[in-house]
Amino acid sequence: MKRSLEQRLQEGTVIAGEGYLFELERRGYLQAGSFVPEVALENPEALKQAYRDYMNAGSDVVLAFTYNAHREKMRIIGKEELLEPLNRNAIRLAKEVAQEHPAEEALVAGNISNTNLFDPEDAESKEQVRNIFAEMVKWCKEEGVDFINGETFYYHEEAQIALEEIRKQGLPAVITLGLMGENILRDGYTVEASCEILSEKGALVVGMNCFRGPDTMQPYLAEIRKNMDGYVGGLPIPYRTTNENPTFFNLPDGGCSCHLPLETTFPTALDPLYHNRYELAEWAREAKDIGINYIGLCCGASPAMLRAVAEAAGVETINSKYSPDMEKHFLFGKDETLKAHNLGYRTKA
C-alpha cells in the first residue's frame, strides 16, 4: 500500500526531485525564455523519461510538470486552448511513471507556482491569481494527485492564496518560497515569518526552493527550522551562489570568453557555475542534520546530482547501482590486476 506524504515524513526524510525545466531544455524539448512545458503534449515520452530518471535517482515524488503551465503564461504564447489538456496530461504521465517504482509506488504531486502576475497593490491581480490557482488545483484533484506542490513564490500573499485554494480542495500542501537578492520577500515578509504563517494556516511542508544555491539558502533554512515545529523543505539550485550574488539571476562568470545574449549568465550560460555532486551531497547531509525533512534540488539539477543528494540523506536509490566506483579505473583504481605503469601515471595524465 502506498504511504501518504505525511506518513513518509513521519518515518523519515522525503526526497523530492525537481529540475525538469532546465533539464528538458538541455535535452532539446523546451524553449528557454518562455519556459512553458508544452513537452507534456508535444513529446510525452520525453517527459515520461525525465520523470523516470528523477524517480530512479531517488525521488519519492513524481512532480507533474505544470510549472508555468498557467493561464497567464499560456495567454502570452497564444495557446490558452492547450491549458487544460496540458495540465491533465502532465499529471497522467506522472501517474504512469509513479506506478513503475519497483519497491513502493511513488507519490504524485500536482504543481502550481508563481504567476508573475501578482501585484500587492492591485486587487484585480490578486483575483486573477486566485482564479489561476483554483482551476489548476481543481484539475489536480480530479486527476487524483496525492498532494500539491506550490512553489517559487516571492510574495508571501501569493503563496497564501495558493495555500487557500489547495486547502479548499482538501489536498495536502507543500509550499516553498523563492527568495530574491534583497533577502526578503517582495511584500516585506521574511521567509521565516512567511513559513511560520503558512504552516499555521495548514501547509504540511513549508520552506524554500529555487533561485539560491546551497550556500545562500542554507542559513535561511536553518532559521526556518529554528522558528517552527512542522515539516521544512529545502530545494536549492545546484549553482555556486555567493553572498555577493545570492541568486542565479545575476551570477557572474569571470571566465566567459564570449559575448552573451543577455547581461547575465541566467538562464542559458550557467553551465560553468555548477556545484559538483559531492558539494551537493555535503549540503544534503547538513540539511538532514539540522532537521530539514523534505530535501531535493531545483532548476539545473541532473538525476546524477539528485542521486548524490538522496544517498547523502541515507537513501539507496533504484539507480544507486550506477553510483561512481573507481575500483576498476585504469588510472585511479585499486584492483590488484590493474597495471602499475598506468596507476603510477595518475598525477601526470
Side-chain angles (χ1 to χ4, degrees):
M1 181 176 176
K2 180 168 74 169
R3 292 169 298 157
S4 69
L5 175 59
E6 187 167 13
Q7 287 171 324
R8 295 180 196 223
L9 289 164
Q10 289 169 349
E11 295 171 17
T13 306
V14 169
I15 304 298
E18 298 194 23
Y20 305 142
L21 199 73
F22 280 24
E23 181 69 10
L24 283 159
E25 194 275 335
R26 280 194 297 255
R27 296 185 187 189
Y29 296 103
L30 187 144
Q31 184 180 54
S34 60
F35 283 120
V36 176
E38 295 177 80
V39 63
L41 295 175
E42 293 179 346
N43 290 284
E45 290 305 314
L47 179 54
K48 283 182 70 174
Q49 190 60 49
Y51 286 158
R52 187 177 293 119
D53 290 345
Y54 285 83
M55 181 180 75
N56 290 347
S59 184
D60 295 299
V61 180
V62 182
L63 177 66
F65 188 30
T66 57
Y67 185 93
N68 274 346
H70 55 71
R71 189 164 296 278
E72 174 63 9
K73 269 287 188 179
M74 300 303 283
R75 180 196 64 78
I76 289 173
I77 66 170
K79 295 183 179 181
E80 271 189 272
E81 76 280 1
L82 299 181
L83 175 64
E84 183 174 351
L86 192 162
N87 274 260
R88 290 188 183 275
N89 209 45
I91 297 168
R92 290 169 186 173
L93 296 171
K95 292 178 74 174
E96 289 178 24
V97 172
Q99 292 169 1
E100 297 174 4
H101 198 292
E104 179 182 14
E105 185 177 336
L107 296 166
V108 174
N111 185 222
I112 60 176
S113 58
N114 55 303
T115 62
N116 305 321
L117 188 65
F118 181 87
D119 181 346
E121 305 302 321
D122 181 357
E124 184 179 344
S125 79
K126 298 178 185 182
E127 193 58 32
Q128 288 177 292
V129 165
R130 186 176 295 280
N131 291 337
I132 282 171
F133 292 154
E135 65 182 354
M136 292 179 76
V137 173
K138 175 176 173 287
W139 297 328
C140 288
K141 174 77 169 182
E142 291 171 354
E143 294 295 335
V145 303
D146 297 300
F147 68 95
I148 293 186
N149 179 46
E151 63 178 349
T152 330
F153 298 112
Y154 43 86
Y155 287 102
H156 166 78
E157 190 178 353
E158 187 176 32
Q160 190 164 293
I161 292 170
L163 176 59
E164 288 167 1
E165 293 306 314
I166 296 168
R167 297 284 289 165
K168 283 179 186 177
Q169 294 293 338
L171 290 165
V174 172
I175 304 290
T176 50
L177 307 170
L179 188 63
M180 290 190 174
E182 293 182 312
N183 300 327
I184 194 165
L185 297 177
R186 291 189 62 186
D187 45 1
Y189 288 81
T190 64
V191 288
E192 307 95 279
S194 177
C195 284
E196 193 169 359
I197 293 167
L198 293 166
S199 181
E200 289 171 354
K201 288 185 175 294
L204 179 59
V205 179
V206 296
M208 298 174 67
N209 79 293
C210 212
F211 297 177
R212 292 173 176 250
D215 292 345
T216 56
M217 182 180 286
Q218 185 69 0
Y220 293 94
L221 292 175
E223 286 302 310
I224 294 167
R225 178 71 285 170
K226 274 194 261 182
N227 284 329
M228 51 170 292
D229 297 325
Y231 298 114
V232 176
L235 299 97
I237 55 169
Y239 299 104
R240 289 176 172 157
T241 55
T242 65
N243 288 334
E244 293 75 27
N245 299 101
T247 76
F248 65 174
F249 291 119
N250 292 289
L251 200 56
D253 175 14
C256 181
S257 60
C258 69
H259 178 73
L260 298 177
L262 299 176
E263 62 268 28
T264 71
T265 56
F266 178 88
T268 52
L270 288 162
D271 309 73
L273 305 173
Y274 273 121
H275 278 292
N276 65 49
R277 67 185 72 187
Y278 306 104
E279 293 170 313
L280 296 170
E282 282 298 316
W283 166 76
R285 278 188 280 271
E286 181 182 350
K288 184 179 179 183
D289 286 346
I290 67 166
I292 305 304
N293 317 95
Y294 186 94
I295 293 176
L297 296 171
C298 206
C299 289
S302 69
M305 290 175 175
L306 182 71
R307 184 181 63 203
V309 162
E311 290 173 345
V315 176
E316 183 176 356
T317 78
I318 298 169
N319 279 353
S320 285
K321 61 183 178 180
Y322 300 122
S323 293
D325 179 0
M326 295 298 114
E327 182 72 19
K328 310 295 183 185
H329 194 276
F330 83 107
L331 284 176
F332 304 109
K334 295 183 179 179
D335 188 288
E336 61 184 18
T337 65
L338 292 171
K339 304 301 181 185
H341 72 283
N342 286 330
L343 297 173
Y345 202 69
R346 60 192 292 163
T347 60
K348 300 175 184 177

